[in-house]
Amino acid sequence: MKLRIKFKKYGPVRFIGHLDVMRYFQKALRRADIDVAYSTGFSPHQIMSFAAPLGVGLESNGEYMDIQVNSLPDPGEGLTSCQILVQRLNAVGVQGLEAVSARILPENAGNAMASVAAASYTVRFREGKEPGPLEIALETFLSQKEIWITKETKKGSRQVDLRPGIYELSWDGDAFHMLVDASSAGNIRPGQVIQALLDANGKKAEENALFITREDLFTETAGPEGAGERISLGRIGCEDPQREEGR
Amino acid sequence: MSDKLALSDEILLNIEKPERYIGHEYNAVMKDRDKVGIRFCMCFPDIYEIGMSHLGLQILYDMFNAMPDVWCERVFSPWVDLDAVLRREKIPLFALESQDPVKMFDFLGITIQYEMCYTNILQVLDLSGIPLKARERGEDCPIVIGGGPCTYNPEPLADFFDLFYIGEGETQYKKLLDLYRECREQGIGRKGFLRRAAAEVPGMYVPGFYRAEYHPDGTLKSFSPTEEGIPATVRKEIVTDLSQARYPTKPIVPFIRVTQDRVVLEIQRGCIRGCRFCQAGQLYRPVRERDVETLKQYALELLQNTGQEEITLSSLSSSDYSRLPELISFLMEECSRRHTNISLPSLRIDAFSLDVMSKVQDVKKSSLTFAPEAGSQRLRNVINKGLTEEVILNGAAQAFQGGWIRVKLYFMLGLPTETEEDIRGIAELSNKIAAVFFETVPKEKRVNGRVQIVASTSFFVPKPFTPFQWAAQCTKEEFLHKAYLTRTAISEQLNQKSIKYNWHEADASVLEGVLARGDRRLGQVILRVYEKGGIFDAWSEYYDNSRWMDALEECGLTADFYTHRERPVEELLPWDFIDCGVSKGFLKREWEKAKREQTSENCRQKCNTCGAAVFGCGICVIPRTEKTPDDQAADTGR
């Protein structure tokens, strides 16, 4: 049975790298006595995959990992198996790596990483690193048909058009909110968007000026008219198999 | 738990592995700083990954934090990148849990595991804003305590420590902290506390209350207390009933991969074998076992409380643990049920260990380890290493039949009385093992047609409280010549293509020898090296030999004085004031026997009256009839 666990990452543990977060959950799942499925061989490992690595220093309210389990905890005290699993995981966890929910995925559900299409972020400037008033407003910035930036890669630099991958971008007086492409082909980092905006204003962001929180990850499903509909990775599957069957 | 971090995001995002400095690991202990009376900062003066792999630190952390009025936290050496930032931005070094400056603590306890970390001790003090020299510290500074194996000759570090705790930490810390509390209530200051600690608490050595005088030739003339009531000798502290001692069954689980990335089950302390080069084998006498049922319970709790995927056993010689087969069978069963691995320490190679290893490792990928330490039987007798060539070759043959194709061999160069013939023995033994492979394994069964033998040599460094504490150590040039002879001899062997040879660097071995058997005058040398920028000497890329040699010269000292002369047995040694149970008379007898190439029995076979029986525990109090379940195997020795 495949489970998707949604978790948050915040506070000091935001400096834990992606691979170490994975190692952390492998250990936490053992401590919580979750009946995780293992590979075979001399060094059996848990069958586990993460939706999208989160950069060091970023916080998140919507991280996902998929695991394979042989069985679920018994439901009880008004809680579903999935809720009990979340409770048990948090009872043996550290502050700042907090399980939010668990859902049973349908058998045909795609791999978490491959199914990520978009990500939403909240972006703030750190204290003392605010760029000052921007002359070119967001509306103008977004009205451009193309927003070209230079992307540094291992093989050199190349030009990329950000515009098609910026699905939403707004400013609420305190923070930017954005929904951008997070697919493996067209992944956009929030820093690139803010930098492009500052560039348009002739300004440059200071190093580490941004405090970024990933809010959620989305996948695209075929909509009624065949057009892609973005839904949160956390909405796929169900929390309670019994109730689901009764529907 | 507090979200406060001592370092800004800007700093943390610009250094390697910020996880080293943020704390918050699972099982790290948080307390309310306003509700504890004593704050103890435990330091391992090397990077986090190494310090967090040290069992002793976890034991003391657990012990202190079990005391309701005490909060024990951790600090490690910041790596060179953060070191530079802390100096540049004048950020005081902080403890991981509360992220508070180390200087705020009541105690800074530093575990001293190897000589090459001495400059890192100064780094930690300096970055904390604590004066490097103990006598310059005021009432606003923590009491700086040293512990660990290097404190059996604490003299080179005497200037920098307020107090050394000689021996195992479990026994006297409660008494020491009670005394501290009492002194604080009575308004007795730093010096008064230290005086009372030295006088009243067993195992405490306060270097400030002792004076060393030297002969014109540089040897020690006298070493004595400067005040009434301060003891002339300090006896080591040990846990007499190990099974009753606390064990950290909720060790901290690091986020990052550390060197010892697994749970550790300490099965016994001490060693029955009296290998004459081995300091640990003498320091931790008598051998004391933990009860096997207790260990099984600990193993289950450790795995449950950490979620670690691997468990290993810790001891100086696991094969000598009397209930090893029972313990290993239990662990194998539990581990396979929990998808957990067992990482076996180097065991004596016999049918039992090969069987066990074949079950827990991938035979084709793992290698088999022998530590003959010396190439010839003559020299193995000198060092009292009971392993014979016959045993090694038999073990190798069994292993090759079992499918192993890699063998690691550990030797030392520069042992007392070593000749060129002994060195050639290293090559010849390696060659014979390769020959055994070709004799044992038929051609069609050979994987890639090859056996891989890796012979490694380290350079012998004489250590205090061993029978070789009087021995002359080789110079760098002699060491390198010996490595050259070894390499040449290997290249002349018939099976030389199957043998790979590694040797250690010689510079650092000489310096290690200087610090290991040094005296108080080396304090100024260590200080100079640190002031010239020396830190992380244990890391070859940061070790600068010329810095050390220059500093020695500037202080009017030479490396040869400390290392290259054989010391007469009458000479007063800088560590003679410490009583580690094993008597100087016993060490002298062993030194004489070594020169006569005579071996000594191990503790299970016969008591050699080393003196450790004074502690009245462990193997010293078990009737001998019960000690010989497996004398034949005990003979083969690892």
Side-chain angles (χ1 to χ4, degrees), chain A residues 201-233:
Chain A
N201 281 277
K203 298 193 178 202
K204 210 172 155 26
E206 278 185 66
E207 211 188 336
N208 306 320
L210 304 177
F211 191 94
I212 302 169
T213 306
R214 180 145 77 191
E215 299 295 349
D216 207 355
L217 291 170
F218 300 85
T219 187
E220 250 162 32
T221 55
E225 279 98 46
E229 186 194 355
R230 275 182 218 110
I231 64 163
S232 162
L233 248 55

Side-chain angles (χ1 to χ4, degrees), chain B residues 378-395:
Chain B
R378 186 200 73 79
L379 193 52
R380 284 195 292 272
N381 290 348
V382 170
I383 63 176
N384 203 36
K385 182 86 192 184
L387 196 58
T388 63
E389 182 170 301
E390 192 192 347
V391 169
I392 297 171
L393 297 181
N394 279 341

Side-chain angles (χ1 to χ4, degrees), chain B residues 3 16 24 97 105 150 309 335 352 385 467 477 504 516 541:
Chain B
D3 272 5
E16 230 179 85
H24 285 77
E97 280 76 359
F105 283 67
C150 289
E309 38 279 278
C335 286
F352 165 73
K385 182 86 192 184
E477 291 71 28
H504 284 220
E541 66 268 41

Side-chain angles (χ1 to χ4, degrees), chain B residues 264-292:
Chain B
V264 179
L265 193 60
E266 185 195 38
I267 57 176
Q268 61 185 354
R269 272 185 210 171
C271 181
I272 57 169
R273 325 233 145 225
C275 298
R276 292 178 180 134
F277 55 85
C278 177
Q279 189 186 32
Q282 305 293 341
L283 293 185
Y284 305 131
R285 286 184 173 211
V287 70
R288 291 148 289 154
E289 297 193 342
R290 287 188 194 267
D291 170 61
V292 71

Side-chain angles (χ1 to χ4, degrees), chain B residues 136-148:
Chain B
E136 291 166 9
R137 286 175 203 145
E139 299 294 333
D140 62 333
C141 289
I143 304 285
V144 180
I145 305 186

Side-chain angles (χ1 to χ4, degrees), chain A residues 14 20 27 30 126 129, chain B residues 9-10 19 306-308:
Chain A
R14 69 183 178 279
D20 293 323
K27 293 181 169 88
R30 288 169 194 276
R126 288 177 200 277
K129 303 232 173 185
Chain B
D9 283 25
E10 175 123 37
E19 293 117 313
T306 62
Q308 289 279 23

Side-chain angles (χ1 to χ4, degrees), chain A residues 22-33:
Chain A
M22 204 158 114
R23 278 161 36 84
Y24 166 81
F25 276 111
Q26 286 165 354
K27 293 181 169 88
L29 287 163
R30 288 169 194 276
R31 294 194 292 263
D33 285 323

Side-chain angles (χ1 to χ4, degrees), chain A residues 1-47:
Chain A
M1 190 185 323
K2 219 170 161 186
L3 285 188
R4 176 161 295 164
I5 298 172
K6 178 178 183 179
F7 64 96
K8 294 185 188 183
K9 187 184 181 191
Y10 57 89
V13 300
R14 69 183 178 279
F15 293 102
I16 315 266
H18 172 65
L19 289 176
D20 293 323
V21 169
M22 204 158 114
R23 278 161 36 84
Y24 166 81
F25 276 111
Q26 286 165 354
K27 293 181 169 88
L29 287 163
R30 288 169 194 276
R31 294 194 292 263
D33 285 323
I34 309 296
D35 189 9
V36 187
Y38 282 80
S39 67
T40 51
F42 272 104
S43 332
H45 58 270
Q46 296 173 353
I47 302 171

